[in-house]
């Protein structure tokens, strides 16, 4: 787990060693030691006379203040500070020219679009009379121990915005979102509703890291310089999306895995989102994120309000690795259902790649027997068990058991699976309907559509308009019935297409675009109600692979389906990108058969070790496995159970990136620092080159660790090594040929 580091006063201790000096120095030394601790223990400090707030975590501080005009400005975001006295007051600048007004030079914390402001605003509205000018000034604030709310108001009208801040002192993170309230007597239309604008320290030479991809190639890590202008990452697709993930990291162009300043954040929203990264001509680097402005319009009647998505952000002084560990820690402690009390993910078997739609009681039972022998703990039946679902052309929407495939319902299979010692999980895709289904024949109006226009099918299916309350209630009842009738531990909740023709004809034209937001809210509502009623239930968020991976859905699910691409070599990069933002525990990873995507065949051990860096699953056709495969798989599952606490809940160190060379290495260190595991993979050896020693991270240099190689690929003969040696020299591994792999377990003995 992430180590919490308070600033070390080592410089004092080294410099002043004489008794005389000590006498002079001790009082200030004590002050130095105590002041930061008391300051850090106070998550929010406030200097009322200067109207400055300082938000403190173990890893960062964040300061905002109000200038003489009432404008709220960002004053600082970076490493930990301990007193507000150091922070320069919020100022009012002078115009640089008639083309560079002072408003453009100021780091406004949550700018409305009004006056001469032409950067990306946080809020843009239109009044009923067409007036769109909005200038927000500080009005009041409320402070709790870790929470701050600042109320802003338009300089003329009762359009109010509350900025919500929550500090996670131990996790080193801050969360922001806003509530936009129409307190006027006339309706307004919100045209852009962002959660937050974040400012890097003034300067240039910054670099952006972000995750992009597509189906079967999700979460690819990109790094590029930030220049003047704007870069947008977003989803306009209705769900979080395969194309970009709502995560960013900004560094000064020189950060690496374990060094350098990194400002980073993740937006928590499973619908249309947008993050813009903007460098202005005035050395400002601003990151603004929230609801996508594309096709967006949200009317607020008098008294109504709109909450924007939550945006989590942090600062890490020690590189991208530390930034990821802070996010992982936050997810494990505060985001995932049950937080710190959640169980580690069990080993799962899923029949999809083995059987596709060809599921039936006998076939599933046969697979379940084989899975149980391997040590699998959760058996999941995928697509094909319901309605007339023999191909992807029919059945979606008809959530009743197919009697030809399961003549006695699901209970005989579930009981069998339970008797074998496994929990039972079931695939569902509740948001969708095939035109060839009883549901669609009964309710053709339930899909999103523009009347008289084509209804574009993707994978032969249409999207139900979940924004409608009758559709929401139908889906809830169907799932509630399944969870009530059967002992289902786990739903694999799939969503296999993007939106099209997002019409909501039953609503007035001015209200119809609320669909983008209401759909997502109702999705959350269904899951929240289901989980409240069925506390036993767990959920996997799948959207044709990794199309719905974000922090807001993570509050409601135990795992993400990372990608439909289960080809182990491709997975190394998908997993590297995933790990930037999300902890290993949530990364469902299966071992499947070869040849797989790309026509590639990798050894079974390699496939297992790749998948064991997340929540291990098996998706192969076990009927085709040889005795040798079964033996190896059983050993690997046993190994996984020994190391999964360390992998899923420990601290990740990405030692060698699959983007950089032919060796990939990742290390996980347990929360208590007593266990660690190193995974290493070789793509293709050339010229008989040996793998250089791999330096470990996150160990105690004074500690001694017993080494346990899973396969004798450790070059060193020493069975124990110090943390100092392991981190400074490293471990040498014998990885040869193509797709070689190994793992080394480290147990602290001193
Ligand atoms: C897409 C998912 O990502 C797959 O794992 C599988 O569940 C199929 N859908 C089933 O249709």
């Amino acid at each position: 787990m992430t180590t919490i580091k308070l600033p070390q006063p080592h410089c004092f201790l080294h410099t002043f060693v004489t008794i005389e000096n000590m006498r002079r120095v001790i009082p200030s030394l004590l002050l130095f030691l105590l002041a930061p601790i008391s300051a850090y223990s106070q998550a929010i400090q406030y200097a009322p006379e200067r109207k400055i707030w300082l938000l403190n975590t173990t890893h960062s501080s964040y300061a905002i203040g109000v200038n003489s005009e009432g404008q709220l400005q960002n004053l600082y975001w970076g490493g930990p500070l301990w007193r507000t006295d150091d922070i320069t007051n919020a100022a009012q600048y002078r115009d640089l020219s008639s083309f560079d007004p002072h408003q453009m030079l100021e780091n406004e914390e949550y700018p409305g679009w009004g006056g001469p402001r032409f950067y990306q605003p946080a809020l843009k509205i239109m009044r009923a009379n067409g007036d769109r000018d909005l200038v927000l000034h500080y009005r009041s604030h409320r402070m709790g121990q870790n929470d701050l709310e600042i109320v802003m108001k338009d300089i003329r009208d009762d359009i109010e915005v509350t900025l919500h801040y929550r500090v996670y002192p131990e996790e080193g993170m801050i969360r922001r979102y806003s509530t936009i309230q129409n307190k006027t007597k006339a309706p307004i239309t919100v045209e852009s509703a962002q959660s937050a604008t974040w400012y890097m320290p003034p300067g240039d030479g910054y670099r952006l890291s972000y995750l992009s991809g597509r189906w079967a190639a999700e979460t690819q890590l990109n790094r590029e310089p930030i220049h003047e202008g704007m870069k947008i990452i977003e989803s306009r697709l209705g769900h979080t999306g395969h194309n970009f993930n709502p995560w960013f990291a900004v560094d000064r162009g020189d950060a690496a895995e374990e060094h350098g300043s990194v400002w980073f954040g993740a937006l928590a929203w499973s619908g249309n989102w947008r993050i813009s990264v903007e460098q202005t001509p005035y050395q400002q680097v601003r990151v603004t994120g929230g609801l996508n402005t594309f096709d967006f319009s949200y009317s607020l009647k008098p008294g109504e309000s709109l909450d924007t998505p939550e945006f989590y952000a942090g600062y890490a002084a020690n590189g991208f690795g530390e930034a990821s560990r802070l996010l992982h820690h936050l997810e494990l402690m505060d985001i995932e259902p049950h937080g710190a009390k959640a169980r580690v993910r069990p080993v799962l078997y899923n029949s999809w790649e083995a059987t596709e739609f060809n599921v039936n009681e006998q076939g599933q039972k046969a697979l379940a027997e084989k899975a149980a022998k391997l040590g699998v703990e959760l058996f999941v039946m995928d697509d094909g068990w319901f309605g007339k679902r023999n191909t992807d052309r029919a059945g979606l929407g008809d959530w009743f058991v197919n009697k030809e495939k399961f003549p006695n319902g699901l209970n005989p299979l579930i009981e069998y699976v339970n008797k074998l010692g496994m929990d039972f999980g079931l695939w569902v895709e509740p948001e969708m309907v095939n035109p060839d289904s009883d549901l669609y024949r009964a309710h053709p109006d339930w899909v999103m559509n523009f009347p008289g226009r084509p209804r574009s099918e993707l994978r032969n299916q249409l999207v139900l308009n979940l924004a409608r309350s009758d559709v929401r209630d139908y889906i809830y009842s169907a799932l509630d019935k399944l969870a009530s009738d059967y002992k289902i531990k786990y739903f694999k909740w799939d969503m296999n297409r993007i939106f099209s023709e997002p019409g909501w004809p039953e609503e007035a034209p001015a209200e119809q675009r609320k669909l983008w937001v209401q759909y997502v809210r109702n999705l959350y509502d269904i899951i929240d109600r289901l989980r409240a009623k069925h506390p036993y239930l767990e959920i996997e968020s799948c959207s044709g692979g990794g199309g719905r991976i974000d922090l807001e859905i993570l509050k409601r699910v135990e795992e993400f389906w990372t990608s439909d691409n289960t080809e182990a070599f491709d997975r190394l990069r998908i997993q590297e990108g995933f790990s930037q933002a999300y902890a290993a525990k949530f990364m469902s990873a299966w071992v499947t058969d070869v040849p797989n995507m790309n026509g590639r065949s990798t050894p079974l051990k390699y496939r297992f070790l790749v998948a064991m860096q997340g929540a291990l699953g098996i998706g192969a056709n076990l009927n085709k496995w040889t005795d040798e495969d079964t033996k190896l798989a059983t050993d690997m599952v046993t190994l996984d159970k020994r190391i999964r606490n360390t992998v899923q809940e420990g601290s990740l160190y990405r030692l060698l990136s699959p983007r950089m060379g032919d060796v990939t290495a990742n290390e996980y260190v347990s929360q208590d620092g007593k266990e660690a595991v190193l995974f290493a993979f070789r793509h293709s050896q050339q010229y008989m080159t040996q793998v250089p020693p791999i330096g470990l991270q996150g160990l105690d240099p004074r500690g001694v660790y017993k080494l346990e190689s899973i396969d004798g690929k450790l070059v060193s003969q020493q069975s124990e090594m110090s943390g100092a040696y392991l981190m400074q020299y490293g471990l040498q591994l014998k990885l040869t040929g193509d797709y070689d792999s190994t793992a080394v377990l480290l147990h602290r003995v001193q």
Side-chain angles (χ1 to χ4, degrees):
M1 192 53 48
T2 303
T3 330
I4 308 299
K5 284 187 203 144
L6 288 174
Q8 298 298 306
H10 57 271
C11 44
F12 275 85
L13 296 177
H14 285 271
T15 321
F16 303 101
V17 280
T18 65
I19 303 258
E20 189 46 36
N21 274 348
M22 287 306 279
R23 227 175 262 136
R24 268 193 296 121
V25 161
I26 277 172
S28 55
L29 178 60
L30 278 176
L31 262 183
F32 184 87
L33 283 169
L34 292 176
I37 291 167
S38 60
Y40 292 132
S41 64
Q42 208 181 330
I44 304 173
Q45 291 179 55
Y46 179 50
E49 65 296 345
R50 299 168 62 221
K51 281 220 176 63
I52 288 179
W53 295 266
L54 181 62
L55 279 46
N56 295 311
T57 80
T58 47
H59 285 69
S60 58
S61 288
Y62 185 90
I64 43 185
V66 179
N67 76 2
S68 53
E69 244 199 335
Q71 186 193 64
L72 185 67
Q73 291 179 5
N74 181 277
L75 304 177
Y76 177 83
W77 187 22
L81 303 178
W82 56 278
R83 44 181 235 156
T84 52
D85 294 3
D86 298 330
I87 299 164
T88 309
N89 285 356
Q92 190 178 337
Y93 290 54
R94 291 225 182 106
D95 295 348
L96 206 58
S97 77
S98 57
F99 299 97
D100 310 275
H102 68 86
Q103 290 91 338
M104 300 279 278
L105 312 178
E106 292 150 358
N107 285 352
E108 218 172 319
E109 179 73 352
Y110 191 85
W113 186 64
R117 292 169 176 82
F118 287 95
Y119 43 59
Q120 187 60 41
L123 179 60
K124 188 169 186 303
I125 58 107
M126 183 172 78
R127 295 171 184 78
N129 64 2
D131 174 347
R132 304 185 301 286
D133 190 62
L134 180 76
V135 177
L136 296 170
H137 278 179
Y138 167 84
R139 179 74 178 262
S140 63
H141 73 275
R142 296 181 282 273
M143 262 167 64
Q145 197 178 332
N146 292 345
D147 289 286
L148 169 66
E149 284 181 4
I150 298 184
V151 181
M152 317 274 292
K153 191 188 100 51
D154 177 56
I155 47 175
R156 186 193 66 192
D157 299 331
D158 287 334
I159 299 172
E160 260 187 27
V161 179
T162 304
L163 305 184
H164 305 266
Y165 297 82
R166 169 160 296 171
V167 185
Y168 296 87
E170 298 298 311
E171 290 81 346
M173 300 289 296
I174 293 172
R175 183 198 74 192
R176 292 180 58 187
Y177 72 97
S178 62
T179 303
I180 302 146
Q181 253 185 307
N182 179 8
K183 292 190 162 177
T184 70
K185 295 195 165 53
I188 63 168
T189 304
V190 180
E191 296 181 340
S192 168
Q194 302 304 302
S195 306
T197 293
W198 307 95
Y199 292 87
M200 307 313 124
D204 43 28
Y206 282 102
R207 180 171 61 165
L208 171 68
S209 301
Y210 64 97
L211 301 172
S212 67
R214 58 178 162 77
W215 173 78
E218 298 87 338
T219 54
Q220 304 289 317
L221 178 60
N222 303 280
R223 297 221 151 101
E224 63 192 36
I226 298 175
H227 294 302
E228 286 174 3
M230 197 186 309
K231 163 97 184 176
I232 293 167
I233 57 171
E234 63 175 350
S235 167
R236 301 176 170 196
L237 310 167
H239 66 156
T240 321
H242 297 79
N243 301 148
F244 295 102
N245 190 269
W247 167 86
F248 76 90
V250 171
D251 73 292
R252 292 189 190 272
D254 58 357
E257 271 300 304
E258 300 303 331
H259 73 79
S261 292
V262 178
W263 293 261
F264 61 96
L267 187 68
W269 187 244
S270 317
N272 282 3
W273 59 272
R274 179 187 204 265
I275 295 176
S276 63
V277 182
E278 185 181 13
Q279 178 165 339
T280 74
Y282 319 108
Q283 295 188 304
Q284 295 155 305
V285 176
R286 320 166 72 242
V287 176
T288 303
L291 297 172
N292 203 324
T293 49
F294 173 79
D295 196 40
F296 181 82
S297 164
Y298 201 99
S299 59
L300 292 178
K301 296 196 189 75
E304 287 186 341
S305 63
L306 169 65
D307 282 342
T308 58
E310 296 177 348
F311 203 162
Y312 294 83
Y315 165 83
N318 299 303
F320 298 108
E322 185 176 79
S324 297
R325 290 189 290 276
L326 289 172
L327 256 175
H328 298 172
H329 185 43
L330 175 87
E331 291 156 7
L332 293 164
M333 303 307 284
D334 303 289
I335 307 265
E336 70 159 314
H338 311 299
K341 293 198 193 104
R343 64 170 182 157
V344 284
R345 298 311 303 148
V347 179
L348 166 157
Y349 178 78
N350 179 301
S351 61
W352 174 248
E353 291 199 23
T355 62
E356 298 218 330
F357 300 98
N358 189 17
V359 293
N360 58 44
E361 191 180 314
Q362 282 323 311
Q364 291 292 299
K365 279 182 173 170
L367 287 169
E369 263 174 44
K370 296 200 163 90
K373 282 194 189 131
L374 299 177
V376 166
E377 298 156 304
L378 173 59
F379 181 86
V380 182
M381 178 162 65
D382 211 279
D383 201 348
W385 58 269
F386 55 92
K388 296 208 172 58
R389 187 75 168 165
N390 297 316
T391 65
D392 62 14
R393 301 200 151 269
L396 288 176
D398 299 340
W399 300 111
F400 45 84
V401 178
N402 180 312
K403 288 282 179 200
E404 279 157 35
K405 298 178 181 180
F406 297 92
N408 305 308
L410 294 183
N411 275 334
L413 173 63
I414 297 176
E415 281 159 18
Y416 195 74
V417 165
N418 290 163
K419 258 198 214 119
L420 289 167
M422 298 183 291
D423 286 318
F424 180 78
L426 191 65
W427 180 94
V428 287
E429 191 177 1
E431 300 153 75
M432 299 291 157
V433 68
N434 287 113
D436 185 1
S437 66
D438 292 348
L439 183 70
Y440 188 72
R441 282 182 280 274
H443 298 286
D445 53 325
W446 277 12
V447 298
M448 43 183 77
N449 71 93
F450 292 120
R453 307 283 309 166
R455 299 177 176 197
S456 302
E457 290 178 25
L458 294 168
R459 208 194 189 207
N460 311 302
Q461 62 197 57
L462 297 167
V463 191
L464 289 169
N465 182 0
L466 208 61
R468 289 172 57 135
S469 42
D470 48 359
V471 174
R472 176 199 62 196
D473 294 343
Y474 169 81
I475 293 177
Y476 170 77
S477 315
L479 295 172
D480 175 42
K481 185 161 173 18
L482 283 171
S484 305
D485 290 354
Y486 298 113
K487 199 174 163 213
I488 295 171
K489 173 73 186 163
Y490 182 91
F491 277 136
K492 174 175 174 181
W493 184 304
D494 207 343
M495 194 262 193
N496 275 304
R497 58 158 292 176
I498 56 174
F499 289 14
S500 62
E501 298 97 18
W504 188 357
E506 296 75 19
E507 287 292 316
E511 301 290 315
Q512 286 186 13
R513 282 189 251 184
K514 281 186 177 166
L515 177 147
W516 295 113
V517 173
Q518 196 55 35
Y519 183 103
V520 182
R521 284 194 191 133
N522 283 353
L523 169 75
Y524 296 153
D525 175 77
I526 295 170
I527 303 182
D528 290 345
R529 281 199 280 154
L530 267 181
R531 293 196 68 119
K533 182 158 175 210
H534 305 280
Y536 170 75
L537 189 67
E538 296 179 339
I539 298 178
E540 170 180 349
S541 170
C542 169
S543 179
R548 194 180 266 156
I549 299 176
D550 62 79
L551 292 188
E552 195 57 42
I553 201 75
L554 184 57
K555 292 178 189 165
R556 299 163 171 89
V557 302
E558 274 73 13
E559 286 182 39
F560 298 122
W561 181 224
T562 315
S563 175
D564 278 350
N565 186 343
T566 54
E567 195 277 295
F569 179 61
D570 277 4
R571 275 305 268 257
L572 287 177
R573 279 180 70 167
I574 293 173
Q575 295 184 178
E576 180 200 39
F578 181 99
S579 77
Q580 304 296 316
Y582 306 101
K585 187 177 188 182
F586 314 121
M587 186 178 75
S588 184
W590 299 351
V591 173
T592 53
D593 289 324
V594 289
N596 203 304
M597 282 190 189
N598 311 306
R600 187 176 289 124
S601 291
T602 54
L604 187 57
K605 186 180 83 172
Y606 181 97
R607 281 176 269 151
F608 261 100
L609 291 177
V610 170
M612 281 158 66
Q613 296 176 96
L616 176 65
I618 299 172
N621 189 348
L622 302 181
N623 297 322
K624 291 194 183 154
W625 275 14
T626 62
D627 290 348
E628 204 187 328
D629 292 339
T630 306
K631 163 85 180 69
L632 177 66
T634 313
D635 292 347
M636 288 308 222
V637 170
T638 307
L639 175 65
D640 184 74
K641 289 177 183 171
R642 286 180 63 206
I643 62 172
R644 65 182 165 190
N645 275 76
T646 303
V647 170
Q648 293 184 23
E649 298 188 335
S651 296
L652 164 67
Y653 295 86
R654 292 177 293 253
L655 304 178
L656 294 171
S657 162
R659 287 171 300 124
M660 301 304 188
D662 87 320
V663 180
T664 301
N666 292 312
E667 179 199 356
Y668 301 79
V669 180
S670 66
Q671 288 187 39
D672 61 8
K674 290 188 178 152
E675 305 289 329
V677 53
L678 167 71
F679 292 92
F681 305 89
R682 186 151 206 194
H683 180 224
S684 45
Q685 184 186 25
Q686 287 184 291
Y687 314 113
M688 293 157 291
T689 314
Q690 300 307 307
V691 177
I694 299 174
L696 302 193
Q697 301 269 351
L699 304 178
D700 179 353
R702 307 293 308 166
V704 176
Y705 298 83
K706 189 165 175 298
L707 306 178
E708 181 187 344
S709 163
I710 64 159
D711 51 12
K713 285 186 182 282
L714 202 53
V715 173
S716 154
Q717 289 95 36
Q718 278 86 345
S719 58
E720 292 181 0
M721 285 181 182
S722 70
Y725 185 82
L726 286 163
M727 292 197 289
Q728 284 164 104
Y729 183 78
L731 279 180
Q732 197 154 12
L733 304 170
K734 265 182 266 167
L735 294 176
T736 55
D738 294 344
Y739 305 119
D740 202 358
S741 60
T742 190
V744 181
L745 280 52
L746 292 92
H747 316 281
R748 186 164 180 176
V749 287
Q750 274 179 44

